[in-house]
Amino acid sequence: MSDAPDNASVRLLGRDRTPFLPDRLWLDGAWVSRADRPARWEEAARADVAVTTQTRGVVPSSSASMPSVVADILDACAVRPGHRVLEIGAGTGYTAALLKDRVGPHGSVASIEVDPEVAARARRNLDAAGVDVEVVCGDGFAGLKRGGPYDRVHVTCAMRHVPTAWLEQCAGGRIAMPWGPAFSTDRVVALDVADGQGVGRFGAVASFMVMRAQRSRAWDAWPEGGETRPVDLGLDWRRLDGPLGGFGEFVVGLLLPGVTHRTSGGDPEDGERVVWLERDGVYASVGFGAGVPTTATGDERLIRDYADAVAWWYDHGRPESAGFGLTVTADGERAHQRVWFGSPHGPAWEH
Ligand SMILES: C[S@@+](CC[C@H](N)C(=O)[O-])C[C@H]1O[C@@H](n2cnc3c(N)ncnc32)[C@H](O)[C@@H]1O
């Protein structure tokens, strides 16, 4: 048995991500340089964690994803030798290299990156590693018509809206991506495309940076709460809290198209937690906890919709995300998105 320290990227993906990482990583809220703190840098590079490689202010804007999650999306994508693959979000260039490993000499990989600096670095990293991948700087939402048709589209930024362009450029193929409702983080979904429609069931948890133009600005400035009033939603505080922060958050989000949220306050066991809701610039909040009355501010409709979604989740036995799937149909620039429960013919919500 080897006593070399574990390197998660080698073990899980068959290629070391270290050569693709910049000399400075953003770890625990500060930059760590490889020259000054080599042990800490190496530890993060080898671990099964996502590492931020670029920030805007203190907000992460590019990263190398967590190796185990990279493995989940690659598995879902089912890339085979000879495939033509389009990647969205080159980042460090690492997953583009993994895709090239899988398609082999008779396949091809093109990767689109929206940030010019990041694209240039991905290109340098891939050249240095001797990997033949075309890196294009541009908006991945439009896909890359000139290299198509593709067998696979492999997406490494989280999607809220799937473009019709991908369905057209990958007709008859598969699109694998992290997808989430506006309310929550993402799940991996692989859409099998046929006749202008992609269909797939939600899989593993994946928390990714949302595609740049699709990031919500709703919470850049905190809204005025307005007058607080007591409210009876027919659910006790434990139920109102139940889906938040757990697997139910994704599912409740599927039932609340276009709704975003934040929470504030502490542990509702010994204080009050507040869930803040937003839809189309309209806000509301619900406060609850052990021994405190449930109160609300803002839009009544939004509050009732949240309570109805939570009640639905409990009434259906708290289903997990694998019980749901996504059908995406070509329709203008943004494809039409329908989330379903059970089967594509089951109850559905338009996103
Ligand atoms: C999680 S990182 C990608 C990780 C990368 N695959 C790797 O191996 O390092 C997500 C990337 O998507 C890029 N991105 C965001 N929006 C995009 C868009 N509209 N088109 C193309 N790339 C985009 C970001 O700049 C970021 O570099």
Side-chain angles (χ1 to χ4, degrees):
M1 212 172 106
S2 153
D3 45 6
D6 181 49
N7 182 327
S9 60
V10 176
R11 175 168 45 82
L12 296 167
L13 296 158
R15 180 186 270 273
D16 185 6
R17 71 173 174 171
T18 306
F20 291 84
L21 297 180
D23 290 340
R24 236 170 43 130
L25 300 176
W26 179 258
L27 301 172
D28 313 322
W31 287 109
V32 169
S33 110
R34 189 175 198 176
D36 297 342
R37 294 179 61 197
R40 177 70 186 104
W41 190 99
E42 281 288 337
E43 180 195 30
R46 289 169 165 273
D48 188 20
V49 295
V51 289
T52 297
T53 52
Q54 187 198 51
T55 61
R56 297 198 177 271
V58 293
V59 179
S61 51
S62 190
S63 66
S65 314
M66 188 170 171
S68 52
V69 176
V70 172
D72 287 336
I73 304 186
L74 274 176
D75 286 351
C77 205
V79 176
R80 302 283 177 253
H83 274 166
R84 300 169 64 80
V85 180
L86 175 65
E87 179 178 59
I88 312 296
T92 63
Y94 175 63
T95 54
L98 295 174
L99 289 166
K100 182 62 185 163
D101 292 342
R102 282 149 182 77
V103 301
H106 302 297
S108 68
V109 179
S111 185
I112 311 183
E113 170 57 53
V114 74
D115 185 305
E117 248 178 66
V118 176
R121 205 167 45 227
R123 225 174 263 131
R124 281 198 303 276
N125 287 343
L126 286 158
D127 285 349
V131 180
D132 178 20
V133 164
E134 184 189 10
V135 178
V136 177
C137 184
D139 183 356
F141 193 80
L144 186 66
K145 212 169 173 184
R146 65 172 160 76
Y150 301 98
D151 299 296
R152 298 289 185 261
V153 177
H154 178 264
V155 187
T156 67
C157 50
M159 300 305 294
R160 299 290 172 261
H161 303 282
V162 176
T164 289
W166 297 354
L167 295 169
E168 291 168 350
Q169 294 168 23
C170 188
R174 178 178 277 204
I175 303 170
M177 66 189 152
W179 187 95
F183 195 78
S184 91
T185 56
D186 324 300
R187 295 292 186 278
V188 176
V189 66
L191 303 177
D192 286 317
V193 184
D195 304 323
Q197 196 169 69
V199 186
R201 195 173 277 277
F202 294 112
V205 176
S207 178
F208 273 70
M209 287 171 189
V210 178
M211 183 175 244
R212 277 201 191 169
Q214 300 189 4
R215 289 174 195 164
S216 166
R217 313 291 311 260
W219 302 94
D220 288 0
W222 208 260
E224 290 292 326
E227 201 172 313
T228 303
R229 56 188 188 270
V231 66
D232 180 5
L233 297 172
L235 296 165
D236 66 14
W237 72 265
R238 280 183 203 283
R239 291 208 158 199
L240 288 169
D241 193 52
L244 299 173
F247 71 92
E249 189 168 297
F250 179 83
V251 174
V252 164
L254 297 179
L255 276 53
L256 292 169
V259 176
T260 68
H261 91 287
R262 294 287 183 276
T263 56
S264 67
D267 182 347
E269 283 282 358
D270 26 65
E272 188 191 41
R273 173 164 289 161
V274 181
V275 55
W276 299 81
L277 305 162
E278 177 272 343
R279 181 171 50 204
D280 298 332
V282 173
Y283 292 83
S285 75
V286 188
F288 47 80
V292 298
T294 299
T295 56
T297 67
D299 189 62
E300 187 70 24
R301 180 77 199 274
L302 196 45
I303 294 163
R304 298 280 160 195
D305 285 351
Y306 176 72
D308 287 351
V310 174
W312 187 100
W313 183 58
Y314 279 101
D315 291 349
H316 289 77
R318 298 195 303 147
E320 300 200 31
S321 45
F324 297 79
L326 178 65
T327 296
V328 171
T329 311
D331 179 22
E333 221 182 301
R334 275 185 185 184
H336 176 257
Q337 301 188 134
R338 202 166 148 273
V339 165
W340 39 262
F341 177 53
S343 82
H345 310 291
W349 298 264
E350 312 227 328
H351 282 253

